[in-house]
Amino acid sequence: MLGYQRQSVYVVYFLLFGLSWISYWFYIPSSVFSNKRNPLNDIFVKQGFGWTFVPLLLLHLLNGKRLKQNLLRWWILALYWCLWTQPLFQRSIFHTIEHYTGSCDLKSESRSDCLQSGGTWSAFDISGHTFLLSMNVLVSIEEIRLFQHRKMESWTDVIKLVLELLVSALVFLWTLMFGVTCLYFHDFGERLVGTLLSTLIWYLVYVRFRSVFV
């Protein structure tokens, strides 16, 4: 594992363990971030994979180098994300796990029926936010390091620089919202599993089989 890769992982897990510990032992007052309907969550996080995928895809297309290998890498990342979070059949894997580990304090059998009846639904709800946000951070850092050019010889180079700055700003935003999730949402186990799942695909693609995919 390269030095910057260790640093990236250390930051992610330092935030996960550190902020989860703080949220467990200390009272965290409500804020705009504790509202799931806050603008950053609605506009950016819920569409986080697209916000990450599009500028990086444009960078690869403008760069034009090793395009097939780069597109294959992103196809694998997108498939992995869809596999866990999207309802490829009736439910996504995350929702399937929540469904079969869940129970209601009333007689309702499903989460929707339980909540509509005013009941409380308890389940192991893997954090899709920590999964997506940590994946975005780790992947973006890897990808942006492939575009470390400083020449400004054409408008294409200017567009590349703008896209790089956008990705860098998004990394800051994803890190911030990852920290918010650790403070306000899910329990530690649900956050940890989500983060481990994203770290797994990052490790396989960018570390273990780096020579194949990068």
Side-chain angles (χ1 to χ4, degrees), residues 96-128:
T96 300
I97 293 172
E98 181 189 5
H99 176 75
Y100 284 107
T101 61
S103 62
C104 184
D105 57 354
L106 303 178
K107 293 183 179 180
S108 303
E109 294 183 359
S110 69
R111 181 178 182 273
S112 59
D113 291 341
C114 178
L115 297 179
Q116 288 176 4
S117 302
T120 300
W121 180 261
S122 301
F124 189 76
D125 179 19
I126 298 173
S127 175

Side-chain angles (χ1 to χ4, degrees), residues 2 20 22 67 70 87 100 111 113 119 136 141 189-190 202 210:
L2 302 175
S20 294
I22 291 174
L67 189 57
N70 293 330
Y100 284 107
R111 181 178 182 273
D113 291 341
N136 283 350
I141 291 173
E190 294 166 346
W202 167 82
R210 185 178 182 87

Side-chain angles (χ1 to χ4, degrees), residues 29-192:
S30 299
S31 69
V32 63
F33 293 113
S34 61
N35 183 352
K36 293 182 179 180
R37 305 299 301 178
N38 75 76
L40 290 178
N41 192 54
D42 277 348
I43 298 173
F44 291 98
V45 177
K46 290 185 178 180
Q47 310 299 328
F49 191 84
W51 277 104
T52 300
F53 177 82
V54 172
L56 288 174
L57 176 62
L58 290 175
L59 275 171
H60 284 302
L61 292 175
L62 290 172
N63 193 49
K65 298 178 180 178
R66 309 182 72 178
L67 189 57
K68 290 183 178 179
Q69 190 173 18
N70 293 330
L71 292 178
L72 173 62
R73 181 171 68 252
W74 271 96
W75 182 84
I76 292 172
L77 293 170
L79 181 63
Y80 186 80
W81 173 74
C82 288
L83 177 67
W84 288 99
T85 64
Q86 301 304 301
L88 301 180
F89 298 101
Q90 185 179 4
R91 302 184 184 91
S92 68
I93 294 179
F94 280 2
H95 286 161
T96 300
I97 293 172
E98 181 189 5
H99 176 75
Y100 284 107
T101 61
S103 62
C104 184
D105 57 354
L106 303 178
K107 293 183 179 180
S108 303
E109 294 183 359
S110 69
R111 181 178 182 273
S112 59
D113 291 341
C114 178
L115 297 179
Q116 288 176 4
S117 302
T120 300
W121 180 261
S122 301
F124 189 76
D125 179 19
I126 298 173
S127 175
H129 274 50
T130 60
F131 172 70
L132 172 63
L133 293 169
S134 58
M135 181 175 175
N136 283 350
V137 169
L138 294 173
V139 167
S140 295
I141 291 173
E142 293 288 347
E143 296 292 330
I144 205 67
R145 288 182 66 87
L146 302 176
F147 303 100
Q148 294 185 337
H149 67 280
R150 292 294 179 267
K151 296 181 179 179
M152 292 290 116
E153 299 177 346
S154 66
W155 280 106
T156 300
D157 294 324
V158 175
I159 295 173
K160 289 179 182 179
L161 178 60
V162 171
L163 290 171
E164 290 175 22
L165 293 174
L166 173 60
V167 173
S168 299
L170 287 172
V171 168
F172 175 80
L173 177 60
W174 304 146
T175 305
L176 171 65
M177 298 308 290
F178 180 84
V180 167
T181 303
C182 293
L183 284 175
Y184 288 110
F185 304 107
H186 295 276
D187 62 31
F188 175 72
E190 294 166 346
R191 299 174 202 136
L192 177 62

